[in-house]
Amino acid sequence: MTQPNRLLQDTDITPGSIGGTEYMERLLHHLRNLGFTEMEAKVMVELSRQNAASGYEVAKRLGASRSNVYAALQRLAGQGYLRTSAGEPVRYSMLPPGELTRMIEGQMQESLRAVEKEMPRTEPTKPTFYNAEGDRKVLESLTRELERAEHEIVLDLWREEAELLRTELEKAESRGVRLLWSCDNGESMMGPWLPLRSDTDGQEPAGRKFSFVIDRRWCMLGMRGENCPTQALITEHPVMTGLLLNHFAQDLILYELEHDMGRELSTRYGWRYEGIIGKYMSAGE
Protein backbone atom coordinates (compact mmCIF):
# COMPACT_ATOMS: atom_id res chain seq x y z
CA MET A 1 0.00 0.00 0.00
CA THR A 2 1.38 3.40 -0.95
CA GLN A 3 2.33 5.55 2.03
CA PRO A 4 1.15 9.18 1.93
CA ASN A 5 3.72 11.95 1.48
CA ARG A 6 4.92 13.39 4.83
CA LEU A 7 3.75 16.88 3.83
CA LEU A 8 0.18 15.79 4.46
CA GLN A 9 0.55 13.10 7.09
CA ASP A 10 -1.76 13.13 10.10
CA THR A 11 -4.56 15.03 8.34
CA ASP A 12 -8.19 14.23 7.86
CA ILE A 13 -8.24 15.30 4.21
CA THR A 14 -10.26 13.04 1.95
CA PRO A 15 -9.47 12.58 -1.74
CA GLY A 16 -10.81 15.37 -3.87
CA SER A 17 -11.32 17.87 -1.02
CA ILE A 18 -8.51 20.39 -1.47
CA GLY A 19 -9.66 23.13 0.86
CA GLY A 20 -12.16 21.55 3.21
CA THR A 21 -10.23 21.69 6.48
CA GLU A 22 -8.65 24.32 8.66
CA TYR A 23 -5.31 22.53 8.27
CA MET A 24 -5.52 22.75 4.49
CA GLU A 25 -6.41 26.44 4.53
CA ARG A 26 -3.43 27.09 6.78
CA LEU A 27 -1.11 25.16 4.47
CA LEU A 28 -2.36 27.01 1.39
CA HIS A 29 -1.95 30.29 3.25
CA HIS A 30 1.73 29.55 3.99
CA LEU A 31 2.41 28.55 0.40
CA ARG A 32 0.90 31.81 -0.82
CA ASN A 33 3.11 33.68 1.67
CA LEU A 34 6.11 32.02 0.02
CA GLY A 35 5.13 33.58 -3.31
CA PHE A 36 3.11 30.80 -4.96
CA THR A 37 -0.21 31.64 -6.60
CA GLU A 38 -3.47 30.15 -5.37
CA MET A 39 -3.53 27.63 -8.23
CA GLU A 40 0.14 26.72 -7.80
CA ALA A 41 -0.39 26.13 -4.08
CA LYS A 42 -3.40 23.86 -4.72
CA VAL A 43 -1.54 21.91 -7.40
CA MET A 44 1.44 21.41 -5.07
CA VAL A 45 -0.75 20.15 -2.25
CA GLU A 46 -2.71 17.83 -4.56
CA LEU A 47 0.46 16.36 -6.06
CA SER A 48 1.97 15.87 -2.60
CA ARG A 49 -0.92 13.52 -1.86
CA GLN A 50 -0.04 11.28 -4.82
CA ASN A 51 3.10 9.66 -6.14
CA ALA A 52 2.53 11.11 -9.59
CA ALA A 53 -0.36 12.42 -11.68
CA SER A 54 -1.02 13.81 -15.12
CA GLY A 55 -2.25 17.31 -15.67
CA TYR A 56 -5.67 15.93 -16.58
CA GLU A 57 -5.88 13.98 -13.31
CA VAL A 58 -4.85 16.98 -11.23
CA ALA A 59 -7.39 19.25 -12.95
CA LYS A 60 -10.13 16.64 -12.43
CA ARG A 61 -9.37 16.22 -8.72
CA LEU A 62 -9.27 19.98 -8.19
CA GLY A 63 -12.31 20.67 -10.32
CA ALA A 64 -10.32 23.39 -12.06
CA SER A 65 -9.75 24.49 -15.64
CA ARG A 66 -7.21 22.24 -17.38
CA SER A 67 -5.54 25.25 -19.02
CA ASN A 68 -5.00 26.92 -15.61
CA VAL A 69 -3.71 23.68 -14.09
CA TYR A 70 -1.34 22.99 -17.02
CA ALA A 71 0.03 26.54 -16.81
CA ALA A 72 0.69 26.13 -13.07
CA LEU A 73 2.34 22.74 -13.64
CA GLN A 74 4.67 24.15 -16.28
CA ARG A 75 5.70 27.08 -14.07
CA LEU A 76 6.39 24.82 -11.07
CA ALA A 77 8.30 22.30 -13.18
CA GLY A 78 10.33 25.08 -14.79
CA GLN A 79 11.34 26.35 -11.32
CA GLY A 80 12.41 22.88 -10.23
CA TYR A 81 9.67 22.24 -7.67
CA LEU A 82 8.20 19.30 -9.65
CA ARG A 83 9.67 16.20 -11.23
CA THR A 84 8.36 15.07 -14.60
CA SER A 85 8.34 11.62 -16.17
CA ALA A 86 8.95 10.86 -19.84
CA GLY A 87 6.10 9.56 -21.94
CA GLU A 88 2.53 10.40 -22.79
CA PRO A 89 0.88 11.78 -20.85
CA VAL A 90 3.57 13.54 -18.83
CA ARG A 91 3.21 12.75 -15.14
CA TYR A 92 4.23 15.16 -12.42
CA SER A 93 5.35 14.53 -8.84
CA MET A 94 6.35 16.82 -5.96
CA LEU A 95 9.79 17.00 -4.41
CA PRO A 96 9.95 15.54 -0.88
CA PRO A 97 9.00 18.22 1.68
CA GLY A 98 12.52 18.51 3.11
CA GLU A 99 14.07 18.98 -0.32
CA LEU A 100 11.34 21.44 -1.31
CA THR A 101 11.79 23.62 1.76
CA ARG A 102 15.61 23.60 1.46
CA MET A 103 15.29 24.74 -2.14
CA ILE A 104 12.89 27.55 -1.21
CA GLU A 105 15.05 28.59 1.74
CA GLY A 106 18.15 28.73 -0.44
CA GLN A 107 16.40 30.84 -3.07
CA MET A 108 15.03 33.22 -0.44
CA GLN A 109 18.44 33.63 1.20
CA GLU A 110 20.01 34.35 -2.17
CA SER A 111 17.32 36.92 -2.96
CA LEU A 112 17.68 38.58 0.45
CA ARG A 113 21.46 38.86 0.00
CA ALA A 114 20.99 40.32 -3.47
CA VAL A 115 18.48 42.88 -2.21
CA GLU A 116 20.75 43.91 0.66
CA LYS A 117 23.73 44.26 -1.67
CA GLU A 118 22.14 45.76 -4.76
CA MET A 119 19.24 47.89 -3.48
CA PRO A 120 19.96 51.55 -4.34
CA ARG A 121 20.98 53.57 -1.32
CA THR A 122 20.15 57.21 -0.96
CA GLU A 123 22.56 59.48 0.82
CA PRO A 124 21.52 60.07 4.45
CA THR A 125 19.88 63.41 5.04
CA LYS A 126 22.51 65.88 6.13
CA PRO A 127 21.64 68.33 8.89
CA THR A 128 21.41 71.85 7.52
CA PHE A 129 22.11 75.26 9.00
CA TYR A 130 19.70 78.06 8.25
CA ASN A 131 19.16 81.61 9.43
CA ALA A 132 16.10 83.35 10.78
CA GLU A 133 15.91 87.14 10.90
CA GLY A 134 13.51 89.43 12.70
CA ASP A 135 11.62 89.01 15.97
CA ARG A 136 8.59 87.36 14.36
CA LYS A 137 10.45 84.64 12.45
CA VAL A 138 12.83 83.84 15.29
CA LEU A 139 10.09 83.65 17.91
CA GLU A 140 7.82 81.60 15.63
CA SER A 141 10.57 79.04 15.00
CA LEU A 142 11.40 78.87 18.67
CA THR A 143 7.77 78.63 19.82
CA ARG A 144 7.10 75.81 17.37
CA GLU A 145 10.00 73.74 18.74
CA LEU A 146 9.17 74.52 22.35
CA GLU A 147 5.68 73.12 21.77
CA ARG A 148 7.24 69.92 20.36
CA ALA A 149 9.69 69.46 23.26
CA GLU A 150 9.27 66.13 25.02
CA HIS A 151 12.16 65.71 27.44
CA GLU A 152 14.46 68.67 28.03
CA ILE A 153 14.98 72.34 27.19
CA VAL A 154 18.35 73.96 27.89
CA LEU A 155 18.19 77.78 27.90
CA ASP A 156 20.98 80.32 28.02
CA LEU A 157 19.43 83.77 27.69
CA TRP A 158 18.64 87.16 29.21
CA ARG A 159 15.58 87.97 31.26
CA GLU A 160 14.06 90.06 28.46
CA GLU A 161 13.91 87.07 26.12
CA ALA A 162 12.77 84.73 28.89
CA GLU A 163 9.75 86.93 29.58
CA LEU A 164 8.75 86.80 25.90
CA LEU A 165 8.63 83.01 26.10
CA ARG A 166 7.12 82.70 29.58
CA THR A 167 3.87 81.05 28.44
CA GLU A 168 5.52 78.46 26.18
CA LEU A 169 8.10 77.56 28.82
CA GLU A 170 5.46 77.18 31.54
CA LYS A 171 3.41 74.92 29.25
CA ALA A 172 6.45 72.76 28.53
CA GLU A 173 7.24 72.47 32.22
CA SER A 174 3.64 71.48 32.96
CA ARG A 175 4.01 68.65 30.42
CA GLY A 176 6.93 67.29 32.43
CA VAL A 177 9.70 68.74 30.25
CA ARG A 178 12.84 69.47 32.26
CA LEU A 179 14.03 73.10 32.03
CA LEU A 180 17.69 73.94 32.64
CA TRP A 181 18.30 77.67 32.96
CA SER A 182 21.18 80.07 32.70
CA CYS A 183 20.25 83.76 32.80
CA ASP A 184 21.79 87.16 33.25
CA ASN A 185 20.75 87.82 36.86
CA GLY A 186 19.73 86.00 39.98
CA GLU A 187 16.13 87.11 40.24
CA SER A 188 13.22 85.90 38.16
CA MET A 189 9.49 85.39 38.42
CA MET A 190 9.84 82.11 36.53
CA GLY A 191 12.00 80.00 38.79
CA PRO A 192 15.62 79.55 39.87
CA TRP A 193 18.16 81.21 37.62
CA LEU A 194 21.84 80.44 37.34
CA PRO A 195 23.47 83.83 36.73
CA LEU A 196 26.25 84.52 34.25
CA ARG A 197 29.16 86.83 34.83
CA SER A 198 28.33 90.37 33.79
CA ASP A 199 30.61 92.54 31.65
CA THR A 200 33.41 94.24 33.56
CA ASP A 201 32.15 97.72 32.66
CA GLY A 202 28.56 96.90 33.67
CA GLN A 203 27.22 97.87 30.27
CA GLU A 204 24.89 95.72 28.20
CA PRO A 205 26.46 94.80 24.86
CA ALA A 206 24.91 95.89 21.58
CA GLY A 207 22.92 92.63 21.47
CA ARG A 208 21.87 90.01 24.00
CA LYS A 209 23.03 86.50 23.12
CA PHE A 210 20.69 83.57 23.61
CA SER A 211 20.76 79.86 22.89
CA PHE A 212 18.35 76.94 23.15
CA VAL A 213 18.89 73.20 22.90
CA ILE A 214 15.67 71.17 22.75
CA ASP A 215 15.66 67.42 23.38
CA ARG A 216 19.38 67.42 22.50
CA ARG A 217 18.51 67.38 18.78
CA TRP A 218 17.51 70.95 17.79
CA CYS A 219 19.28 74.15 18.69
CA MET A 220 19.15 77.88 18.11
CA LEU A 221 21.92 80.38 18.68
CA GLY A 222 21.17 84.06 18.23
CA MET A 223 21.30 87.69 19.31
CA ARG A 224 18.62 90.22 20.03
CA GLY A 225 18.66 93.81 21.28
CA GLU A 226 17.39 97.33 20.86
CA ASN A 227 20.41 98.35 18.83
CA CYS A 228 20.76 95.30 16.58
CA PRO A 229 18.48 93.21 14.38
CA THR A 230 17.22 89.93 15.81
CA GLN A 231 19.07 87.06 14.12
CA ALA A 232 19.46 83.36 14.86
CA LEU A 233 21.23 80.30 13.51
CA ILE A 234 19.09 77.14 13.63
CA THR A 235 20.24 73.55 13.09
CA GLU A 236 19.93 69.94 14.18
CA HIS A 237 23.60 69.26 13.51
CA PRO A 238 24.97 67.20 16.43
CA VAL A 239 28.23 69.15 16.48
CA MET A 240 26.43 72.43 17.20
CA THR A 241 24.08 70.93 19.78
CA GLY A 242 27.07 69.31 21.47
CA LEU A 243 29.02 72.57 21.55
CA LEU A 244 26.13 74.48 23.10
CA LEU A 245 25.52 71.79 25.71
CA ASN A 246 29.21 71.67 26.62
CA HIS A 247 29.38 75.46 26.88
CA PHE A 248 26.28 75.48 29.06
CA ALA A 249 27.65 72.78 31.36
CA GLN A 250 31.05 74.47 31.69
CA ASP A 251 29.45 77.80 32.58
CA LEU A 252 27.31 76.17 35.25
CA ILE A 253 30.23 74.25 36.72
CA LEU A 254 32.33 77.41 36.95
CA TYR A 255 29.44 79.32 38.47
CA GLU A 256 28.77 76.58 41.03
CA LEU A 257 32.44 76.44 41.99
CA GLU A 258 32.73 80.22 42.42
CA HIS A 259 29.42 80.43 44.27
CA ASP A 260 30.36 77.58 46.60
CA MET A 261 33.96 78.54 47.32
CA GLY A 262 33.80 82.31 47.09
CA ARG A 263 36.99 83.99 48.29
CA GLU A 264 38.44 80.61 49.13
CA LEU A 265 39.34 80.26 45.45
CA SER A 266 41.69 83.22 45.67
CA THR A 267 42.99 82.08 49.06
CA ARG A 268 43.73 78.59 47.81
CA TYR A 269 44.96 79.30 44.32
CA GLY A 270 45.98 82.94 44.63
CA TRP A 271 47.29 84.56 41.49
CA ARG A 272 47.04 81.24 39.57
CA TYR A 273 43.24 81.17 39.56
CA GLU A 274 42.95 84.79 38.46
CA GLY A 275 45.56 84.15 35.80
CA ILE A 276 43.62 81.18 34.41
CA ILE A 277 40.37 83.15 34.31
CA GLY A 278 42.04 86.15 32.72
CA LYS A 279 43.83 84.03 30.15
CA TYR A 280 40.64 82.46 28.73
CA MET A 281 37.83 84.86 29.61
CA SER A 282 39.26 88.38 29.25
CA ALA A 283 38.61 90.52 26.19
CA GLY A 284 42.28 90.31 25.30
CA GLU A 285 43.05 93.91 26.10
Side-chain angles (χ1 to χ4, degrees), residues 12 19-28:
D12 58 355
T21 68
E22 181 181 349
Y23 177 91
M24 181 60 65
E25 287 301 325
R26 191 164 60 249
L27 179 55
L28 292 173

Side-chain angles (χ1 to χ4, degrees), residues 4-245:
N5 193 300
R6 290 179 58 195
L7 184 63
L8 296 181
Q9 284 182 351
D10 302 323
T11 72
D12 58 355
I13 300 171
T14 58
S17 61
I18 190 65
T21 68
E22 181 181 349
Y23 177 91
M24 181 60 65
E25 287 301 325
R26 191 164 60 249
L27 179 55
L28 292 173
H29 169 76
H30 289 305
L31 287 169
R32 289 193 298 268
N33 281 349
L34 290 171
F36 297 105
T37 67
E38 182 78 15
M39 180 56 68
E40 289 170 345
K42 290 182 177 181
V43 166
M44 293 170 73
V45 173
E46 181 59 36
L47 283 174
S48 71
R49 299 174 62 242
Q50 308 174 52
N51 281 336
S54 66
Y56 171 79
E57 291 169 336
V58 174
K60 185 177 179 180
R61 291 176 66 88
L62 293 178
S65 163
R66 278 187 289 176
S67 62
N68 290 341
V69 170
Y70 276 112
L73 287 167
Q74 290 173 2
R75 286 195 301 270
L76 292 169
Q79 293 168 345
Y81 301 124
L82 303 183
R83 293 171 177 163
T84 59
S85 64
E88 279 294 334
V90 176
R91 299 182 69 80
Y92 301 88
S93 60
M94 278 295 300
L95 295 177
E99 188 176 342
L100 173 68
T101 54
R102 283 192 295 272
M103 177 182 288
I104 295 172
E105 182 180 14
Q107 292 172 344
M108 292 185 68
Q109 289 295 335
E110 183 180 356
S111 295
L112 289 172
R113 287 192 293 269
V115 168
E116 182 178 0
K117 181 179 179 181
E118 299 172 13
M119 181 69 75
R121 289 172 171 79
T122 58
E123 290 293 326
T125 302
K126 297 179 180 179
T128 57
F129 294 81
Y130 62 96
N131 296 319
E133 296 188 4
D135 265 5
R136 184 177 64 83
K137 289 186 177 180
V138 170
L139 291 175
E140 282 180 355
S141 297
L142 190 50
T143 298
R144 186 164 55 248
E145 292 300 323
L146 290 174
E147 290 174 349
R148 294 175 55 193
E150 297 180 353
H151 308 293
E152 177 187 81
I153 300 172
V154 177
L155 311 88
D156 186 350
L157 74 177
W158 291 64
R159 177 168 180 164
E160 288 83 348
E161 284 64 53
E163 293 297 334
L164 290 175
L165 299 164
R166 171 193 292 267
T167 301
E168 288 74 17
L169 294 170
E170 288 178 343
K171 286 180 180 178
E173 195 167 30
S174 69
R175 296 196 308 271
V177 177
R178 182 172 71 152
L179 303 185
L180 299 176
W181 298 85
S182 177
C183 287
D184 67 311
N185 59 47
E187 296 180 0
S188 172
M189 299 171 62
M190 301 182 64
W193 304 102
L194 296 172
L196 295 175
R197 298 172 63 87
S198 60
D199 292 343
T200 54
D201 58 4
Q203 299 295 318
E204 180 182 321
R208 298 182 296 273
K209 293 181 290 186
F210 60 86
S211 69
F212 290 79
V213 180
I214 298 178
D215 289 339
R216 306 203 172 197
R217 60 162 183 82
W218 182 96
C219 66
M220 174 184 283
L221 174 65
M223 180 171 284
R224 181 177 180 273
E226 288 69 29
N227 300 319
C228 72
T230 301
Q231 293 181 315
L233 174 69
I234 303 170
T235 185
E236 292 187 10
H237 200 293
V239 169
M240 181 60 74
T241 56
L243 284 173
L244 290 177
L245 288 171

